[in-house]
Amino acid sequence: MGHDDSVRRLHRIYRWLYRGGRPGRLARVMNRQSALATSAGLGPRRLVALEVPGRRTGRLVSLPLVVADHEGERYLVSMLGPDANWVRNVRAAGGRAVLRHGRREAVRLEEVEVGDRAPVLRRYLALAPGARPHLPVDRRAPLEEFARIADRVPVFRVLPDRPEAGDGSRS
């Protein structure tokens, strides 16, 4: 069995874990365990636990994501597209969330314009092998191919969450 066969087999497993664009039972368990480990500061720095209130329950939801760095900025990418629960929850929370990797960081996630997503998507696929089966572009493809799918893949710039003037918070 060659390298390409192993990669194809692994891609099939990842797609099975996220059938229909949603994590199945096993993927949810794996994500929960990964989020706990990441919150504690285990694993590579680019792996974080995103914490955001559920849009319907208000209960804190935590899941592991890969942070893509590009031109001095940090980004989160939805490998499952715009209907992923975390994307909907972040939008409902006005972009406010927490990233954890050993420490807690309050952030504001700002959605990136479609026309600016291609280089971030390419960097993301270079860093997140588990996302490769979900995005129909080879990680080494030219930027034009990433631009063709950019409207289907939400990308969020990670910014510090600073209280707005007049909201009663102290700076």
Side-chain angles (χ1 to χ4, degrees):
M1 175 167 63
H3 174 74
D4 288 342
D5 291 333
S6 297
V7 168
R8 273 193 289 279
R9 197 167 276 142
L10 188 58
H11 282 202
R12 278 195 302 272
I13 291 168
Y14 280 126
R15 282 192 302 266
W16 175 80
L17 287 170
Y18 291 89
R19 296 178 299 281
R22 296 244 186 260
R25 177 178 281 150
L26 180 58
R28 284 192 308 270
V29 168
M30 291 168 56
N31 283 344
R32 201 169 304 128
Q33 290 173 342
S34 182
L36 286 170
T38 300
S39 290
L42 302 175
R45 297 274 331 147
R46 71 178 169 267
L47 188 60
V48 298
L50 171 72
E51 295 178 349
V52 64
R55 65 191 176 284
R56 291 190 300 250
T57 65
R59 194 179 81 237
L60 198 60
V61 177
S62 181
L63 73 148
L65 292 175
V66 170
V67 175
D69 58 311
H70 178 68
E71 294 186 351
E73 303 256 21
R74 297 180 302 158
Y75 298 89
L76 297 179
V77 175
S78 175
M79 71 180 190
L80 299 178
D83 293 327
N85 275 329
W86 77 263
V87 171
R88 291 176 168 188
N89 290 340
V90 162
R91 288 174 176 160
R96 288 207 157 91
V98 169
L99 297 182
R100 295 196 52 172
H101 187 95
R103 65 180 179 85
R104 184 180 192 282
E105 177 187 9
V107 296
R108 187 170 47 86
L109 301 177
E110 176 183 88
E111 201 149 356
V112 174
E113 293 292 325
V114 171
D116 297 331
R117 293 178 184 174
V120 176
L121 292 173
R122 183 164 60 184
R123 177 66 177 150
Y124 173 69
L125 282 190
L127 295 170
R132 294 174 191 160
H134 302 285
L135 299 179
V137 177
D138 184 88
R139 65 189 165 107
R140 295 171 295 265
L143 278 179
E144 297 77 36
E145 288 188 38
F146 287 94
R148 280 195 276 274
I149 66 160
D151 63 332
R152 296 178 278 168
V153 185
V155 174
F156 295 86
R157 181 178 289 107
V158 177
L159 301 168
D161 186 14
R162 293 194 168 80
E164 296 175 22
D167 73 355
S169 300
R170 293 180 186 220
S171 300

